[in-house]
Amino acid sequence: MGERIAVGDKLPFFLYDTPYSARNRFRDLLAAKSPLVLVFMANFGHPITRTFAGRYAQTYSALRDGSMALVVRSRADKLSTSIGPDTLPYPLLCDADGVLYEFLDIPQNSSTLMTYSLEGWRILREAKKQGYRAAKGSAQQLPLTLILDADGTVLFCHYGASLTDVPEDCAAMQSLLEELDLTPDLPSIEAAEAFNSVYSKAQLPDQVPPAPGGNVKASADAPRPRRSRRPNGSRSKPAPIQEYGTPDLAKTAVVNLFDDPYEDD
């Protein structure tokens, strides 16, 4: 086992697989948009993992000032038949061998009383009604939530005490970023109102005053005002997440996660 990571530590760059692409560079994921909320959970076939994966997909637009990715202990090739690049709005990192889990010393626990919260029992009860059967006596993978900056430095770290001890949804992630002061600084309301007041009274140098009792005719050489476009903030509805069986971890394989050939200069 490795050692628990803490705030101020740096997570090494590595290569990872998703259900739809292989040997992706983690450094590229960090550079795309940071801070990055990285959530480690059990295999994708677990009802709790599926439940939170669906919540994150449905509320992803609420995460305005960062990005997120979900790490699962599942085989990428097994999930590839049902999860394409447009199924989830966030990356799904597959680590069936648990290389990252061991490196970060994310614990497992075989005690159901210790690993299941009240919410976890509710999710499991509904899953059993749909035919889910968990292996008796098997160790349960506990979660971990990290927030990383662009170079992989840990800004926030929380080892979950139960299977549901992770951010409830992406709105909760956004709130966490705001509480930690990890959001971009925005001008105050007073400053914005003062600016608008001064700007509305200012007269541009090339502005022609209107003639008495009439309107100013636009010059042929004058630039036409651009029509404002309404930003399209809506997202396409994510495809429903299907159920998957628990992978046999003894028969899985992933790429060498800590084999990033693009080392820092």
Side-chain angles (χ1 to χ4, degrees), residues 196-257:
N196 291 333
S197 176
V198 173
Y199 183 80
S200 61
K201 295 178 181 179
Q203 184 175 347
L204 298 178
D206 56 350
Q207 185 176 357
V208 181
N215 297 326
V216 177
K217 295 183 178 180
S219 170
D221 298 330
R224 294 185 178 180
R226 294 186 177 180
R227 179 177 300 176
S228 60
R229 297 183 178 180
R230 183 179 181 181
N232 184 10
S234 59
R235 292 180 178 269
S236 58
K237 186 177 181 181
I241 300 175
Q242 304 180 18
E243 295 187 7
Y244 305 93
T246 303
D248 185 354
L249 298 180
K251 298 181 181 179
T252 58
V254 296
V255 298
N256 188 353
L257 290 175

Side-chain angles (χ1 to χ4, degrees), residues 83-107:
I83 301 180
D86 299 324
T87 304
L88 298 172
Y90 54 81
L92 184 68
L93 284 60
C94 296
D95 181 14
D97 281 343
V99 178
L100 276 173
Y101 293 78
E102 293 182 5
F103 177 80
L104 299 172
D105 196 14
I106 308 177

